Amino acid sequence: MLTLKNLPWRNLKGYAGRTAALLLFAALMAVAVFGGTMMIGGVRNGLDTVKSRLGADIMVTPESAKNEFDAQTVLLKTEPGYFYMDASVVDEIRSIEGVEAASPQLFLASAKAGCCSARLQMIAFDPATDFTIQPWIEDTRLSGNLGLLDVIIGSNVSWASAASDNLIRFYDTECNVVGQFAPTGSTLDSAVYMNFDTCKALIQACREKGMFKYEKLDADAIVSSVMIRVAPGYDSEVVADAIRDKVDGVSVATATNMVSGIADSLNHISGTIAALIVAFWLLGMLMTVLLFTLMMNARKREFASLRAMGASRGILSGIVVREALTVNLLGGAIGVLLTGVILFSFNRLIGESLGAGFVLPPVPMTALLAAAALISVILATVVSAWITVHKVNTMDASLVLKEGE
Amino acid sequence: MKLTAQSVKKDFPRASKSSNYFTAVQTLDFALESGKMVEITGRSGSGKSTLLNMLAGMLTPTSGKVFLDDTDLYALDEKSLARLRNEKIGLIPQGHTALLSLTVLENVLLPAILYNRQNPPVDRAKALLMDVGLEALMTAKPNELSGGELRRMAIARAMLMRPSILLADEPTAGLDNENTLAVLGLLRKAADEGAGVLLVTHENEAAQFADEVYVMDSGKLSTQ
């Protein structure tokens, strides 16, 4: 049954072509605002996550590994690899002023066809001194006490293809997968984490297969990297310089260096996306206003007829505003929904395309951004409806009706 | 119920700067009583529709007053005037005035839903459509109707709220003889049922349906 409340909806249904165009532009505005802010938020979130997961102020690696390890890109793209230096550097580093904690890590890479479709980076930590991976394990609510041949896999390590019955095989050695980390949007997601004993056992297995490229090294006397936490009140760069001066044969990178690649991408992406948001929103609003103005001209006899029937200006305004709100909110919701589905389905691909760490914002933030996108669409509604309402209310209905058909 | 115009006059500003305004309706008095059908005829541009719109509360006179019984229409605020027009005055404007997204029956029901009445008078709308010979087209959309059928639909819509006053602006323009007579007959019937009917038209045949005939020429109203 026809009512004043459903009259706007009936009008929208009656002008299907115009309504479809309005839906499209409202959806476009929502996609631009929601998609754009989610992308910026995703890259920013990725940067924050990587910073927190890196957990160290300084990372020391062998100078000889320069070809395999680039501090500025290692978190974004790197081939799994391994390199070593003498374990004595750990004590040398600990003796430097400003170093509060130093914990060694040991690296290995899986064989290409050993377990998975691609090679995996293995990162081992020293449970006694580690301050980077164990907090991550605790945050993920996993047991911090990894036993021999227990591993935790990064979020990008495909569980289905990598594991069967919670087992993953490296160099014919079966390891227990005891958990999987949440994504960080960095290469940390493609690694397998274990303690030193497990890594040493895998180095031995690798060696036995003749695949270990450093045959003469003693696995008990080597480390791949040293993660350093700087004492409060000390500058990371100053401490890094001190390490460079006093420890031979090492390459020193600060966390700032390591995330600078992501930070640069963030700045670049944020600027581009912000410009696109503004451009698409303005285009969407312009088209919405244009369509509403055209609608007003096409339907001015309808509005004048309603005046003749006794509709007050308030009633006509209500009809126009409800039409605008209905179509724009529906279009906005479609845009938000589509964007959400695409972002959540292809977030990894998007991160790779952007060349930056990409972690989608958490649900409450996503909901806030979706609401902001809808509010931006409502803003366009207000502008377009105001222009139309103004025209409807200032037109001379008697003159419009006298003009004939 | 009586619709009265007292010394109403309407000036419109001119587009050119050489003179300030032109007078569409010279100062005049006019009255329309219940049960009477009054015709105003005259050439195009003589001021007939302007007078009708002032009587309908759609166009504020430059001077003078319009009363519906004791109510001064233009002393009311916009909302009250619109409400009064909805309840007491049935206006049949020139040309096609249908909402294209609604069916014929819904178009006729429109005046009843503007102020959220709980139960729109569907039976009355159907009866009116039957009276105007459109019962078979109730569910049709306006773009399926001929010009004559649209006019008859507009008459049914104007009569839905049982208005005391019915104002029809060229309701037979462009219609064939058969439709013209049908429309004029409907307006006569409304007058016979108690409404005051004002008919603005060029049609010669209209005079035989009217109780009084006025002629409008250059904004001046005179009896024929």
Coordinates of all heavy atoms in Angstrom, one line a residue, chain B residues 71-149:
Chain B
T71 N -11.8 32.3 6.3 CA -10.3 32.1 6.4 C -9.6 32.8 5.3 O -9.9 32.6 4.1 CB -10.0 30.6 6.3 OG1 -10.7 29.9 7.3 CG2 -8.5 30.4 6.5
D72 N -8.7 33.8 5.7 CA -7.9 34.5 4.7 C -6.8 33.6 4.3 O -5.8 33.3 5.1 CB -7.4 35.8 5.4 CG -6.6 36.6 4.4 OD1 -6.2 36.1 3.3 OD2 -6.2 37.8 4.8
L73 N -6.8 33.0 3.1 CA -5.8 32.0 2.7 C -4.3 32.5 2.9 O -3.5 31.8 3.4 CB -6.0 31.6 1.2 CG -7.3 31.0 0.8 CD1 -7.1 30.4 -0.6 CD2 -7.7 29.9 1.8
Y74 N -4.1 33.8 2.4 CA -2.7 34.2 2.5 C -2.3 34.8 3.8 O -1.1 35.3 3.9 CB -2.5 35.2 1.3 CG -2.6 34.5 0.0 CD1 -3.8 34.5 -0.8 CD2 -1.6 33.6 -0.5 CE1 -4.0 33.8 -1.9 CE2 -1.7 32.9 -1.7 CZ -2.9 33.0 -2.4 OH -3.0 32.2 -3.5
A75 N -3.2 34.7 4.8 CA -2.8 35.1 6.1 C -2.3 33.9 6.9 O -1.7 33.9 7.9 CB -3.9 35.7 6.9
L76 N -2.5 32.7 6.2 CA -2.1 31.4 6.9 C -0.6 31.2 6.6 O 0.0 31.7 5.6 CB -2.8 30.2 6.3 CG -4.3 30.2 6.5 CD1 -5.0 29.1 5.7 CD2 -4.6 30.0 8.0
D77 N 0.1 30.5 7.5 CA 1.5 30.1 7.2 C 1.5 29.0 6.1 O 0.4 28.4 5.8 CB 2.2 29.6 8.5 CG 1.5 28.4 9.1 OD1 1.4 27.4 8.4 OD2 1.1 28.5 10.3
E78 N 2.6 28.8 5.5 CA 2.7 27.9 4.4 C 2.2 26.5 4.7 O 1.5 25.9 3.8 CB 4.2 27.8 3.9 CG 4.5 27.1 2.7 CD 4.8 25.6 2.9 OE1 5.2 25.2 4.0 OE2 4.5 24.8 2.0
K79 N 2.5 26.0 5.8 CA 2.1 24.7 6.2 C 0.6 24.6 6.3 O -0.1 23.6 5.8 CB 2.8 24.3 7.6 CG 3.0 22.8 7.8 CD 3.8 22.7 9.0 CE 3.9 21.2 9.4 NZ 4.7 21.0 10.6
S80 N 0.0 25.5 7.0 CA -1.5 25.5 7.2 C -2.2 25.7 5.9 O -3.2 25.1 5.6 CB -1.9 26.7 8.1 OG -1.2 26.5 9.3
L81 N -1.7 26.6 5.0 CA -2.3 26.8 3.7 C -2.2 25.5 2.9 O -3.2 25.1 2.2 CB -1.6 28.0 3.0 CG -2.1 28.3 1.5 CD1 -3.6 28.6 1.5 CD2 -1.3 29.5 1.0
A82 N -1.1 24.8 2.9 CA -1.0 23.6 2.1 C -2.0 22.5 2.7 O -2.6 21.8 1.9 CB 0.5 23.0 2.3
R83 N -2.1 22.5 4.0 CA -3.0 21.5 4.6 C -4.5 21.8 4.2 O -5.2 20.9 3.9 CB -2.8 21.6 6.1 CG -3.6 20.5 6.9 CD -2.9 19.2 6.8 NE -3.7 18.1 7.4 CZ -3.3 17.4 8.5 NH1 -2.2 17.6 9.0 NH2 -4.1 16.4 8.9
L84 N -4.8 23.1 4.2 CA -6.1 23.5 3.9 C -6.4 23.2 2.4 O -7.5 22.7 2.1 CB -6.3 25.1 4.1 CG -7.7 25.6 3.8 CD1 -8.1 26.7 4.8 CD2 -7.7 26.3 2.4
R85 N -5.4 23.4 1.5 CA -5.6 23.1 0.1 C -5.8 21.6 0.0 O -6.7 21.2 -0.8 CB -4.4 23.6 -0.7 CG -4.6 23.4 -2.2 CD -3.6 24.2 -3.0 NE -2.2 23.9 -2.6 CZ -1.4 24.7 -2.1 NH1 -1.7 26.0 -1.9 NH2 -0.1 24.4 -1.8
N86 N -5.1 20.8 0.8 CA -5.2 19.4 0.7 C -6.6 18.9 1.1 O -7.2 18.0 0.5 CB -4.2 18.7 1.6 CG -4.3 17.2 1.7 OD1 -4.8 16.7 2.6 ND2 -3.8 16.6 0.6
E87 N -7.2 19.6 2.1 CA -8.5 19.1 2.6 C -9.7 19.7 1.9 O -10.7 19.1 1.8 CB -8.5 19.4 4.1 CG -7.5 18.5 4.9 CD -7.4 18.9 6.4 OE1 -8.0 19.9 6.8 OE2 -6.8 18.1 7.1
K88 N -9.5 21.0 1.5 CA -10.7 21.7 1.0 C -10.8 22.0 -0.4 O -11.8 22.3 -1.0 CB -10.9 23.0 1.8 CG -10.8 22.9 3.3 CD -12.2 22.4 3.8 CE -12.2 22.4 5.4 NZ -13.3 21.6 5.9
I89 N -9.6 22.1 -1.1 CA -9.6 22.6 -2.5 C -9.0 21.5 -3.4 O -7.9 21.0 -3.2 CB -8.7 23.9 -2.6 CG1 -9.3 25.0 -1.7 CG2 -8.6 24.3 -4.1 CD1 -8.4 26.2 -1.6
G90 N -9.8 21.1 -4.4 CA -9.3 20.1 -5.4 C -8.8 20.9 -6.6 O -9.6 21.7 -7.2
L91 N -7.5 20.8 -6.9 CA -7.0 21.6 -8.0 C -6.6 20.6 -9.2 O -5.9 19.7 -9.0 CB -5.8 22.3 -7.5 CG -5.0 23.2 -8.5 CD1 -5.9 24.2 -9.2 CD2 -3.8 23.9 -7.9
I92 N -7.2 21.0 -10.3 CA -6.8 20.2 -11.5 C -6.0 21.1 -12.4 O -6.5 22.0 -13.1 CB -8.1 19.7 -12.3 CG1 -9.0 18.9 -11.4 CG2 -7.7 18.9 -13.5 CD1 -10.4 18.8 -11.9
P93 N -4.6 20.9 -12.3 CA -3.8 21.8 -13.1 C -3.8 21.5 -14.6 O -4.3 20.5 -15.0 CB -2.4 21.5 -12.5 CG -2.6 20.7 -11.3 CD -3.8 19.9 -11.6
Q94 N -3.2 22.4 -15.4 CA -3.0 22.1 -16.8 C -2.1 21.0 -17.0 O -1.2 20.7 -16.2 CB -2.4 23.4 -17.5 CG -3.3 24.5 -17.6 CD -2.7 25.7 -18.3 OE1 -1.8 25.5 -19.1 NE2 -3.2 26.9 -18.1
G95 N -2.3 20.3 -18.1 CA -1.3 19.3 -18.6 C -1.3 18.0 -17.7 O -2.2 17.8 -16.9
H96 N -0.3 17.2 -17.9 CA -0.2 15.9 -17.2 C 0.5 16.1 -15.9 O 1.5 16.8 -15.8 CB 0.6 14.9 -18.1 CG -0.1 14.6 -19.4 ND1 0.5 14.0 -20.4 CD2 -1.3 15.0 -19.8 CE1 -0.3 13.9 -21.4 NE2 -1.5 14.5 -21.1
T97 N -0.1 15.6 -14.9 CA 0.4 15.9 -13.5 C 0.6 14.6 -12.7 O 0.5 14.6 -11.5 CB -0.5 16.8 -12.7 OG1 -1.8 16.2 -12.8 CG2 -0.6 18.2 -13.3
A98 N 0.7 13.5 -13.4 CA 0.8 12.2 -12.8 C 2.3 11.9 -12.3 O 3.2 12.4 -12.9 CB 0.4 11.1 -13.7
L99 N 2.4 11.1 -11.2 CA 3.7 10.6 -10.8 C 3.9 9.3 -11.6 O 3.2 8.4 -11.4 CB 3.8 10.4 -9.3 CG 4.3 11.6 -8.5 CD1 3.4 12.8 -8.6 CD2 4.5 11.2 -7.0
L100 N 4.9 9.3 -12.4 CA 5.1 8.2 -13.4 C 5.5 6.9 -12.7 O 5.3 5.9 -13.3 CB 6.2 8.6 -14.4 CG 5.9 9.9 -15.2 CD1 7.0 10.2 -16.2 CD2 4.6 9.7 -16.0
S101 N 6.0 7.0 -11.5 CA 6.4 5.7 -10.8 C 5.2 5.0 -10.1 O 5.4 3.9 -9.7 CB 7.5 6.0 -9.8 OG 7.1 7.0 -8.9
L102 N 4.1 5.7 -10.1 CA 2.9 5.1 -9.4 C 1.9 4.6 -10.4 O 1.8 5.1 -11.5 CB 2.3 6.1 -8.4 CG 3.2 6.8 -7.4 CD1 2.4 7.7 -6.6 CD2 3.9 5.7 -6.5
T103 N 1.0 3.7 -9.9 CA -0.1 3.3 -10.8 C -1.2 4.4 -10.8 O -1.1 5.3 -10.0 CB -0.7 2.0 -10.2 OG1 -1.3 2.3 -8.9 CG2 0.3 0.9 -10.1
V104 N -2.2 4.2 -11.6 CA -3.3 5.1 -11.7 C -4.0 5.2 -10.4 O -4.2 6.3 -9.9 CB -4.2 4.7 -12.8 CG1 -5.5 5.5 -12.8 CG2 -3.6 4.9 -14.2
L105 N -4.3 4.1 -9.7 CA -5.0 4.1 -8.4 C -4.1 4.8 -7.4 O -4.6 5.6 -6.6 CB -5.2 2.6 -8.0 CG -5.9 2.5 -6.6 CD1 -7.3 3.1 -6.6 CD2 -6.0 1.0 -6.2
E106 N -2.8 4.5 -7.4 CA -1.9 5.2 -6.4 C -1.9 6.7 -6.6 O -1.8 7.5 -5.7 CB -0.5 4.6 -6.4 CG -0.5 3.1 -5.9 CD 0.8 2.4 -6.2 OE1 1.5 2.8 -7.2 OE2 1.1 1.4 -5.5
N107 N -1.9 7.1 -7.9 CA -1.9 8.5 -8.2 C -3.1 9.2 -7.6 O -3.0 10.3 -7.1 CB -1.8 8.7 -9.7 CG -0.4 9.0 -10.2 OD1 0.2 10.1 -10.0 ND2 0.3 8.0 -10.8
V108 N -4.2 8.5 -7.8 CA -5.5 9.1 -7.2 C -5.5 9.1 -5.7 O -6.0 10.1 -5.1 CB -6.7 8.2 -7.7 CG1 -8.0 8.7 -7.1 CG2 -6.8 8.3 -9.3
L109 N -4.8 8.2 -5.1 CA -4.7 8.1 -3.6 C -3.7 9.2 -3.0 O -3.7 9.4 -1.8 CB -4.3 6.7 -3.2 CG -5.4 5.7 -3.2 CD1 -4.8 4.3 -3.0 CD2 -6.4 5.9 -2.1
L110 N -2.9 9.7 -3.9 CA -1.8 10.6 -3.4 C -2.3 11.7 -2.4 O -1.6 11.8 -1.3 CB -1.1 11.3 -4.5 CG 0.2 10.6 -5.1 CD1 0.7 11.3 -6.3 CD2 1.2 10.5 -4.0
P111 N -3.3 12.4 -2.6 CA -3.7 13.5 -1.7 C -4.0 12.9 -0.3 O -3.8 13.6 0.7 CB -5.0 14.1 -2.3 CG -4.9 13.8 -3.7 CD -4.2 12.4 -3.8
A112 N -4.4 11.7 -0.2 CA -4.8 11.1 1.1 C -3.6 10.6 1.9 O -3.7 10.5 3.1 CB -5.8 9.9 0.9
I113 N -2.5 10.4 1.2 CA -1.3 9.9 2.0 C -0.4 11.0 2.4 O 0.6 10.7 3.2 CB -0.6 8.8 1.2 CG1 0.0 9.3 -0.1 CG2 -1.5 7.6 0.9 CD1 1.5 9.2 -0.2
L114 N -0.6 12.2 1.9 CA 0.4 13.3 2.2 C 0.5 13.6 3.7 O 1.6 14.0 4.2 CB 0.0 14.5 1.4 CG 0.2 14.5 -0.1 CD1 -0.2 15.8 -0.7 CD2 1.7 14.2 -0.4
Y115 N -0.6 13.4 4.4 CA -0.5 13.7 5.9 C -0.7 12.5 6.7 O -1.2 12.5 7.8 CB -1.6 14.8 6.2 CG -1.1 16.1 5.6 CD1 -1.6 16.5 4.3 CD2 -0.3 17.0 6.2 CE1 -1.2 17.7 3.7 CE2 0.1 18.2 5.6 CZ -0.3 18.5 4.4 OH 0.1 19.7 3.8
N116 N -0.1 11.4 6.1 CA 0.0 10.1 6.9 C -1.4 9.6 7.4 O -1.4 9.1 8.6 CB 1.0 10.2 8.0 CG 2.4 10.2 7.5 OD1 2.7 9.4 6.6 ND2 3.3 11.0 8.1
R117 N -2.4 9.7 6.7 CA -3.7 9.2 7.2 C -3.6 7.6 7.2 O -3.0 7.0 6.3 CB -4.8 9.6 6.2 CG -5.1 11.1 6.4 CD -6.2 11.6 5.4 NE -6.4 13.0 5.5 CZ -5.6 13.9 4.9 NH1 -4.6 13.5 4.1 NH2 -5.9 15.2 5.1
Q118 N -4.1 7.1 8.3 CA -3.9 5.7 8.5 C -4.4 4.8 7.4 O -3.8 3.9 6.9 CB -4.6 5.3 9.9 CG -3.9 5.9 11.1 CD -2.4 5.4 11.2 OE1 -2.2 4.2 11.1 NE2 -1.5 6.3 11.4
N119 N -5.7 5.1 7.0 CA -6.3 4.2 6.0 C -6.7 5.0 4.8 O -7.7 5.7 4.8 CB -7.5 3.5 6.6 CG -7.2 2.6 7.8 OD1 -6.3 1.8 7.6 ND2 -7.8 2.8 8.9
P120 N -5.8 5.0 3.8 CA -6.2 5.8 2.6 C -7.5 5.2 2.0 O -7.8 4.0 2.0 CB -5.0 5.5 1.6 CG -4.1 4.7 2.3 CD -4.6 4.3 3.6
P121 N -8.4 6.1 1.5 CA -9.7 5.7 1.1 C -9.7 5.0 -0.3 O -10.0 5.5 -1.3 CB -10.5 7.1 1.0 CG -9.4 8.1 0.7 CD -8.1 7.6 1.4
V122 N -9.2 3.8 -0.2 CA -9.0 3.0 -1.5 C -10.4 2.8 -2.2 O -10.5 2.9 -3.4 CB -8.4 1.6 -1.1 CG1 -8.2 0.8 -2.4 CG2 -7.0 1.8 -0.5
D123 N -11.4 2.5 -1.4 CA -12.7 2.2 -2.0 C -13.2 3.5 -2.7 O -13.8 3.4 -3.8 CB -13.7 1.8 -0.9 CG -13.4 0.4 -0.4 OD1 -12.6 -0.3 -1.1 OD2 -13.9 0.0 0.7
R124 N -13.0 4.6 -2.1 CA -13.5 5.9 -2.7 C -12.7 6.1 -4.0 O -13.2 6.5 -5.0 CB -13.4 7.0 -1.8 CG -13.7 8.4 -2.5 CD -14.0 9.5 -1.5 NE -14.1 10.8 -2.2 CZ -15.2 11.1 -3.0 NH1 -16.2 10.3 -3.1 NH2 -15.2 12.3 -3.6
A125 N -11.4 5.9 -3.9 CA -10.5 6.1 -5.1 C -11.0 5.2 -6.3 O -11.1 5.6 -7.4 CB -9.1 5.8 -4.8
K126 N -11.3 3.9 -5.9 CA -11.8 3.0 -7.0 C -13.1 3.4 -7.5 O -13.3 3.4 -8.7 CB -11.9 1.6 -6.4 CG -10.5 0.9 -6.2 CD -10.7 -0.5 -5.6 CE -9.3 -1.1 -5.4 NZ -9.4 -2.4 -4.7
A127 N -14.0 3.9 -6.6 CA -15.3 4.4 -7.1 C -15.2 5.6 -8.0 O -15.9 5.7 -9.1 CB -16.2 4.8 -5.9
L128 N -14.2 6.5 -7.7 CA -14.0 7.7 -8.5 C -13.5 7.3 -9.9 O -13.9 7.8 -10.9 CB -13.1 8.6 -7.8 CG -13.7 9.5 -6.7 CD1 -12.6 10.1 -5.9 CD2 -14.6 10.5 -7.2
L129 N -12.5 6.3 -9.9 CA -12.0 5.8 -11.1 C -13.1 5.2 -12.0 O -13.1 5.3 -13.2 CB -10.8 4.9 -10.9 CG -9.5 5.5 -10.5 CD1 -8.5 4.5 -10.0 CD2 -8.9 6.4 -11.6
M130 N -14.0 4.5 -11.3 CA -15.1 3.9 -12.0 C -16.0 5.1 -12.6 O -16.4 5.0 -13.8 CB -16.0 3.1 -11.1 CG -16.9 2.1 -11.8 SD -17.6 1.0 -10.6 CE -16.2 -0.1 -10.3
D131 N -16.2 6.1 -11.8 CA -17.0 7.3 -12.3 C -16.4 7.9 -13.6 O -17.1 8.4 -14.5 CB -17.1 8.3 -11.2 CG -18.1 7.9 -10.2 OD1 -18.8 6.9 -10.4 OD2 -18.1 8.6 -9.1
V132 N -15.0 8.0 -13.6 CA -14.4 8.6 -14.7 C -14.0 7.6 -15.8 O -13.3 7.9 -16.8 CB -13.1 9.4 -14.3 CG1 -13.5 10.5 -13.3 CG2 -12.1 8.5 -13.7
G133 N -14.5 6.4 -15.7 CA -14.3 5.4 -16.7 C -12.9 4.8 -16.8 O -12.5 4.3 -17.9
L134 N -12.2 4.8 -15.7 CA -10.8 4.2 -15.7 C -10.7 3.0 -14.8 O -9.5 2.6 -14.5 CB -9.8 5.3 -15.2 CG -9.7 6.5 -16.1 CD1 -8.7 7.5 -15.5 CD2 -9.2 6.2 -17.5
E135 N -11.8 2.3 -14.5 CA -11.7 1.2 -13.6 C -10.8 0.1 -14.2 O -10.1 -0.6 -13.4 CB -13.1 0.6 -13.3 CG -13.8 0.0 -14.4 CD -14.7 1.0 -15.2 OE1 -14.3 2.2 -15.1 OE2 -15.6 0.6 -15.9
A136 N -10.7 0.0 -15.5 CA -9.9 -1.1 -16.1 C -8.4 -0.7 -16.1 O -7.6 -1.6 -16.4 CB -10.4 -1.4 -17.5
L137 N -8.1 0.5 -15.8 CA -6.7 1.0 -15.9 C -6.1 1.3 -14.5 O -5.1 2.0 -14.4 CB -6.6 2.2 -16.8 CG -7.0 2.0 -18.2 CD1 -7.1 3.3 -19.0 CD2 -5.9 1.1 -18.9
M138 N -6.7 0.8 -13.4 CA -6.3 1.1 -12.1 C -4.8 0.8 -11.8 O -4.1 1.5 -11.1 CB -7.1 0.4 -11.0 CG -8.5 1.0 -10.8 SD -9.4 0.1 -9.6 CE -11.0 0.7 -9.9
T139 N -4.4 -0.4 -12.3 CA -3.1 -0.8 -12.1 C -2.1 -0.4 -13.2 O -0.9 -0.8 -13.1 CB -3.0 -2.4 -11.9 OG1 -3.6 -2.9 -13.1 CG2 -3.8 -2.8 -10.7
A140 N -2.6 0.3 -14.1 CA -1.7 0.8 -15.2 C -0.8 1.9 -14.7 O -1.1 2.6 -13.8 CB -2.5 1.2 -16.4
K141 N 0.3 2.1 -15.4 CA 1.2 3.2 -15.1 C 0.7 4.4 -16.0 O 0.2 4.2 -17.1 CB 2.6 2.9 -15.4 CG 3.3 1.9 -14.4 CD 3.5 2.6 -13.1 CE 4.0 1.7 -12.0 NZ 5.4 1.2 -12.2
P142 N 1.0 5.6 -15.6 CA 0.5 6.8 -16.3 C 0.9 6.8 -17.8 O 0.2 7.3 -18.6 CB 1.0 8.0 -15.5 CG 1.2 7.5 -14.2 CD 1.5 6.0 -14.3
N143 N 2.1 6.3 -18.0 CA 2.6 6.4 -19.4 C 1.9 5.4 -20.4 O 2.1 5.4 -21.6 CB 4.1 6.2 -19.5 CG 4.6 4.9 -18.9 OD1 3.7 4.0 -18.6 ND2 5.9 4.7 -18.7
E144 N 1.0 4.6 -19.8 CA 0.1 3.7 -20.6 C -1.2 4.4 -21.0 O -2.0 3.8 -21.7 CB -0.2 2.4 -19.9 CG 1.1 1.6 -19.5 CD 0.8 0.4 -18.6 OE1 -0.2 -0.3 -18.9 OE2 1.4 0.3 -17.6
L145 N -1.4 5.6 -20.4 CA -2.7 6.3 -20.6 C -2.7 7.3 -21.7 O -1.6 7.9 -21.9 CB -3.2 7.0 -19.3 CG -4.0 6.1 -18.3 CD1 -3.2 4.9 -17.8 CD2 -4.4 6.9 -17.1
S146 N -3.8 7.6 -22.3 CA -3.9 8.7 -23.3 C -4.1 10.0 -22.6 O -4.3 10.0 -21.3 CB -5.1 8.4 -24.2 OG -6.3 8.6 -23.4
G147 N -4.0 11.1 -23.3 CA -4.2 12.4 -22.7 C -5.5 12.6 -22.0 O -5.6 13.1 -20.9
G148 N -6.6 12.1 -22.6 CA -7.9 12.2 -22.0 C -8.0 11.4 -20.8 O -8.6 11.8 -19.8
E149 N -7.4 10.2 -20.8 CA -7.5 9.4 -19.6 C -6.7 10.0 -18.4 O -7.1 9.9 -17.3 CB -6.9 8.0 -19.9 CG -7.8 7.2 -20.8 CD -7.2 6.0 -21.5 OE1 -5.9 5.9 -21.6 OE2 -7.9 5.1 -21.9

